[in-house]
Amino acid sequence: TRSDTDEVIRLPLRHVKRRRHTSRDTAAHAHASHPQHGFTDTQRTTMAMSSKFIGNNTALRSKATGAKSSRVVTAARRTMSRGSDSVWYGPDRPKWLGPFSEGTVPKYLTGEFPGDYGWDSAGLSADPETFAKYRESELIHARWAMAGAAGCVFPEILQKNGIDIADAVWFKAGSAVLSGEGLDYLGNPNLIHAQNIVAILGIQMLAMGLSEAYRTNGGPAGEGLDNLHPGGPFDPLGLADDPDTFAELKVKEIKNGRLAMFSLFGFYVQAIVTGKGPIQNWVDHVSDPGVNNGFAEIYTTKFTPN
């Protein structure tokens, strides 16, 4: 039989159990509910009071721990890079062999940089300093290639659409400058009339030299800008204000730049093989693909531009 003291002791235990039932509460409840364990009434009363105190402290510790954990997670989110969620970055980015890329990606290519497909079979980027130099060189060449590819095809497109441009093919522009009449920019003598090759080279070297010097060392546009993606006055439309958009634009830039470099190499080969510009080669190929293609031309045409 249980005494009245047992009933009084069980009341606070029920109260504790409703709030938060812990392992310590269970042990205290078991000892208090079974006098055959040898505890006196005073001991059982002390255990009940202790279990109530422990239950309150456990709940407080749980709340404190939960609040602290949430603060840590929030801080981690704030410091995380916004571009890391893009499909083009990180370990799950597209690889150069697609689904067969497992085990072919070097450990130093982690997907941190835009355009990283995990391909470096020669190990050229194993050294971080060398990697940084190659990244800069590739990006600058890619930008010049995009501008150069547009300059190769644009005069031909204008000529095809009725604008009178003498020697619109890109590899004949130099000879036009050296001719007696000179070269009119976009066929308009009121824009730029290029006739002195020395003056042209001097202006190009000065303009490009100053641009590169300002890019690497700072200049009139401001100090402390990123020498590869300066932004600020070089982004008047604010296209890169959003970090996620900026991360995606950097991927698009390097991908289009690589395509432009490859295209320019194709322009060079086409000029040697066919003696024509890229637009005329495209027109000829579309008119008769079976005859006008690279496999036929390389065996029937001399390697000298017309």
Side-chain angles (χ1 to χ4, degrees):
T1 60
R2 290 176 295 190
S3 64
D4 295 338
T5 306
D6 294 330
E7 295 297 329
V8 173
I9 293 172
R10 292 182 63 189
L11 287 174
L13 291 176
R14 289 199 189 103
H15 179 69
V16 173
K17 186 176 180 180
R18 289 193 198 99
R19 183 177 61 256
R20 187 175 184 88
H21 193 77
T22 64
S23 60
R24 294 185 180 181
D25 295 334
T26 303
H29 187 279
H31 287 298
S33 302
H34 297 82
Q36 64 269 24
H37 286 292
F39 294 110
T40 64
D41 293 342
T42 303
Q43 289 173 331
R44 289 196 294 270
T45 303
T46 304
M47 291 171 61
M49 295 175 64
S50 300
S51 64
K52 181 178 180 179
F53 177 76
I54 292 171
N56 289 332
N57 284 345
T58 302
L60 292 174
R61 284 198 302 269
S62 299
K63 292 180 180 179
T65 304
K68 184 178 181 181
S69 299
S70 64
R71 286 196 295 270
V72 172
V73 173
T74 302
R77 288 199 190 102
R78 288 174 182 171
T79 57
M80 185 178 296
S81 176
R82 292 286 301 276
S84 61
D85 294 335
S86 174
V87 68
W88 301 106
Y89 295 86
D92 297 328
R93 68 195 185 282
K95 307 295 194 311
W96 68 292
L97 285 179
F100 306 103
S101 301
E102 187 69 26
T104 64
V105 180
K107 294 182 179 180
Y108 51 83
L109 296 180
T110 60
E112 177 185 359
F113 296 96
D116 178 6
Y117 288 89
W119 178 63
D120 186 19
S121 56
L124 300 176
S125 302
D127 178 61
E129 294 183 1
T130 305
F131 186 28
K133 293 179 181 178
Y134 283 153
R135 289 291 304 176
E136 179 179 0
S137 179
E138 181 188 33
L139 184 59
I140 299 303
H141 279 81
R143 289 171 177 170
W144 281 113
M146 287 188 283
C152 288
V153 301
F154 193 59
E156 273 196 272
I157 293 175
L158 294 179
Q159 188 183 54
K160 294 290 183 183
N161 286 274
I163 298 180
D164 185 17
I165 299 179
D167 295 326
V169 182
W170 66 270
F171 56 81
K172 294 183 179 181
S175 62
V177 173
L178 295 175
S179 65
E181 298 179 358
L183 178 65
D184 296 328
Y185 185 70
L186 298 179
N188 188 344
N190 297 321
L191 293 177
I192 297 177
H193 180 72
Q195 193 170 7
N196 190 325
I197 191 66
V198 177
I200 294 174
L201 291 176
I203 292 174
Q204 287 185 344
M205 292 179 64
L206 180 63
M208 294 174 64
L210 288 176
S211 299
E212 280 296 286
Y214 290 152
R215 182 184 67 82
T216 56
N217 303 316
E223 300 291 339
L225 299 178
D226 190 322
N227 61 355
L228 291 181
H229 303 93
F234 296 96
D235 184 22
L237 299 179
L239 300 176
D241 289 345
D242 180 66
D244 293 332
T245 304
F246 185 34
E248 185 175 352
L249 287 175
K250 287 192 287 187
V251 175
K252 292 180 178 180
E253 180 185 37
I254 193 63
K255 290 177 67 176
N256 282 278
R258 290 167 177 170
L259 180 62
M261 288 187 284
F262 191 77
S263 298
L264 279 177
F265 178 73
F267 293 170
Y268 299 152
V269 176
Q270 284 179 327
I272 294 173
V273 174
T274 67
K276 301 177 182 178
I279 299 299
Q280 186 59 49
N281 278 315
W282 174 74
V283 171
D284 295 342
H285 175 72
V286 171
S287 63
D288 194 350
V291 174
N292 299 312
N293 58 70
F295 295 102
E297 291 285 348
I298 197 169
Y299 292 108
T300 59
T301 308
K302 294 181 179 180
F303 287 80
T304 55
N306 295 332

